Amino acid sequence: MGRWRASLIIHSIKSASKALNNSNIRRGTFLESSNLPKFPKPRSHFANFRAFSALPSPSPNYADEYDANVRDYNPNYFLEEESLEKDEAGKIPVKAFFLCTSVDLKRMQAENSRNVIPPSSRSSNFIALRYCDFPSQNHGVVNGNVSSHSYMIVFQYGSAVLFNVGDHEIDFYLQAVRRHGSGLLSEMRRDDYAIKEKPLLAEDMQGGVDYIVLKNLDIDSIRVISSVLGQSIALDYFVSQVDGMVEEFAEINRGMEKTGTFTMDRKKLFQLVGKANSNIADVILKVGLFERSEIAWRDAKYAQILDYLREEYEVTQRFGNLDYKLKFVEHNIHFLQEVLQNRKSDLLEWCIIVLLSIENVISVYEIVHESFGKSI
């Protein structure tokens, strides 16, 4: 009787250990079977049951499998996974998009007047919109915790930054931007970030991997964060445009290396000149990469957030790389302009030579004609 009972206990423990490795059951629960009698939860000394028990095992073929299941069981696994899920659940998602090259902010503000947040600075290159619920269901604005609302910051140069917006709601928000945008891109650019609010944080902010921890999240913090994210995603677009021009000039130079000449016409070159100049002008003037933030100027905690994010996204270094590439483009444009100018000068010289030759021929003909007329 004692052997049968011990075998039954071991069989029950083995079934419970296998249930821990089953990914289809709910975390932290054991597989229950109506065919097995219920026993109290086994204590940890059963992991070493074979070391001190003289009772036979129900089947020696399963002894190694049982020991492996016991050794692989980590009692802290479920606690660590639950802690990670809680940490992810406390983050406010931030999504930055660059979808056009210009947005009519006045028309967009008039269309969404009930959701517009009054500006706290004199900057006029963006508007902030707040929604208390999914905007297709409720256009009103209510007072409450900042993290309980959804926000959209739209910049005049074409960036839109969404706070606390689900993936299924993104298209609705971006459609509102597209209605007032011009120069829509064929391929929209996107970047993801996150904010976590901790009121008990000792400092005003703390950085993390792809997220930032704030002691208090307010609308000015949202404005500062969105300004850096909007500039960063727009800078990616302009860098890609300049990279395309660099590659085009690289192809021209490789062709010149092989043939000793190039076939670009003057109109194409002027188009590249205009594209390069417009890109650098948009980065400096429209995006306002080096403009002072009045919010950060008034309060040191916002300046700390601004400096951290600009350093995190390497805004200054990326603009330096962009400027270096533009100098390469400018150097190639200047060289090709000189070549085209020399070609034009050579053409004019040949035209002059031909005209002088024709004039000489006409002069000789007149002289000969006059001489023949006098002789007659």
Side-chain angles (χ1 to χ4, degrees), residues 221-368:
S221 301
I222 291 176
R223 288 189 177 105
V224 171
I225 293 172
S226 62
S227 67
V228 179
L229 296 182
Q231 290 175 347
S232 176
I233 196 69
L235 191 58
D236 280 344
Y237 168 76
F238 292 114
V239 168
S240 68
Q241 294 294 304
V242 175
D243 286 341
M245 288 188 289
V246 170
E247 182 61 27
E248 191 168 355
F249 279 112
E251 289 291 336
I252 294 173
N253 291 328
R254 282 191 286 266
M256 291 176 62
E257 182 181 0
K258 293 179 181 179
T259 63
T261 184
F262 71 100
T263 58
M264 177 182 290
D265 58 359
R266 197 175 187 85
K267 180 180 179 181
K268 178 64 175 178
L269 182 62
F270 283 157
Q271 287 176 343
L272 289 175
V273 172
K275 188 175 181 180
N277 292 336
S278 63
N279 279 330
I280 192 64
D282 288 342
V283 171
I284 296 176
L285 300 178
K286 285 187 177 181
V287 179
L289 208 58
F290 299 103
E291 290 184 1
R292 184 191 66 176
S293 173
E294 294 186 18
I295 299 174
W297 182 265
R298 291 196 303 262
D299 198 325
K301 68 178 182 180
Y302 300 122
Q304 185 181 5
I305 296 173
L306 180 66
D307 293 339
Y308 170 77
L309 289 176
R310 288 178 66 89
E311 183 67 24
E312 180 74 10
Y313 280 90
E314 299 179 346
V315 175
T316 304
Q317 294 88 332
R318 289 159 61 195
F319 177 78
N321 293 333
L322 177 65
D323 185 57
Y324 178 79
K325 293 176 182 179
L326 283 172
K327 287 182 178 178
F328 170 80
V329 172
E330 182 182 359
H331 173 75
N332 281 268
I333 289 174
H334 181 69
F335 169 74
L336 295 179
Q337 280 181 331
E338 287 185 350
V339 173
L340 291 177
Q341 185 66 31
N342 290 335
R343 284 183 178 179
K344 186 176 181 180
S345 299
D346 292 341
L347 179 62
L348 292 175
E349 289 178 358
W350 279 107
C351 289
I352 293 173
I353 291 173
V354 170
L355 291 175
L356 291 176
S357 300
I358 293 174
E359 184 180 1
N360 292 332
V361 170
I362 293 173
S363 299
V364 170
Y365 172 77
E366 290 178 351
I367 294 173
V368 172

Side-chain angles (χ1 to χ4, degrees), residues 58-278:
S59 178
N61 296 329
Y62 298 100
D64 294 338
E65 182 180 355
Y66 168 71
D67 290 341
N69 288 334
V70 173
R71 286 193 299 268
D72 293 340
Y73 174 64
N74 181 9
N76 296 325
Y77 172 77
F78 299 130
L79 296 177
E80 292 174 357
E81 188 171 350
E82 288 178 359
S83 176
L84 181 61
E85 285 189 355
K86 290 180 180 179
D87 185 67
E88 292 294 332
K91 292 181 181 179
I92 300 173
V94 183
K95 302 174 178 65
F97 300 90
F98 188 78
L99 58 160
C100 59
T101 57
S102 180
V103 179
D104 191 341
L105 296 182
K106 292 183 178 180
R107 288 174 53 194
M108 187 171 184
Q109 184 173 356
E111 183 181 290
N112 301 271
S113 58
R114 299 181 62 182
N115 302 101
V116 174
I117 302 175
S120 60
S121 63
R122 292 174 295 178
S123 179
S124 60
N125 72 329
F126 72 93
I127 58 173
L129 305 174
R130 174 174 52 198
Y131 303 91
C132 64
D133 202 347
F134 186 44
S136 63
Q137 301 171 2
N138 189 344
H139 290 274
V141 177
V142 298
N143 294 323
N145 189 11
V146 173
S147 59
S148 64
H149 302 307
S150 297
Y151 295 85
M152 180 170 65
I153 313 298
V154 183
F155 294 89
Q156 189 271 335
Y157 53 82
S159 291
V161 185
L162 307 180
F163 291 79
N164 202 23
V165 175
D167 291 336
H168 64 285
E169 303 172 345
I170 291 176
D171 289 338
F172 185 91
Y173 286 88
L174 296 185
Q175 283 298 331
V177 181
R178 292 189 181 99
R179 285 197 298 269
H180 306 285
S182 59
L184 296 176
L185 306 183
S186 58
E187 184 177 355
M188 180 177 61
R189 294 183 173 270
R190 171 175 176 171
D191 192 12
D192 293 305
Y193 200 63
I195 302 173
K196 190 169 184 180
E197 189 176 12
K198 284 187 177 181
L200 300 180
L201 191 66
E203 302 175 349
D204 290 328
M205 61 142 289
Q206 182 179 350
V209 180
D210 292 333
Y211 72 93
I212 186 172
V213 183
L214 300 180
K215 185 175 183 179
N216 181 31
L217 177 63
D218 54 16
I219 186 60
D220 283 337
S221 301
I222 291 176
R223 288 189 177 105
V224 171
I225 293 172
S226 62
S227 67
V228 179
L229 296 182
Q231 290 175 347
S232 176
I233 196 69
L235 191 58
D236 280 344
Y237 168 76
F238 292 114
V239 168
S240 68
Q241 294 294 304
V242 175
D243 286 341
M245 288 188 289
V246 170
E247 182 61 27
E248 191 168 355
F249 279 112
E251 289 291 336
I252 294 173
N253 291 328
R254 282 191 286 266
M256 291 176 62
E257 182 181 0
K258 293 179 181 179
T259 63
T261 184
F262 71 100
T263 58
M264 177 182 290
D265 58 359
R266 197 175 187 85
K267 180 180 179 181
K268 178 64 175 178
L269 182 62
F270 283 157
Q271 287 176 343
L272 289 175
V273 172
K275 188 175 181 180
N277 292 336
S278 63

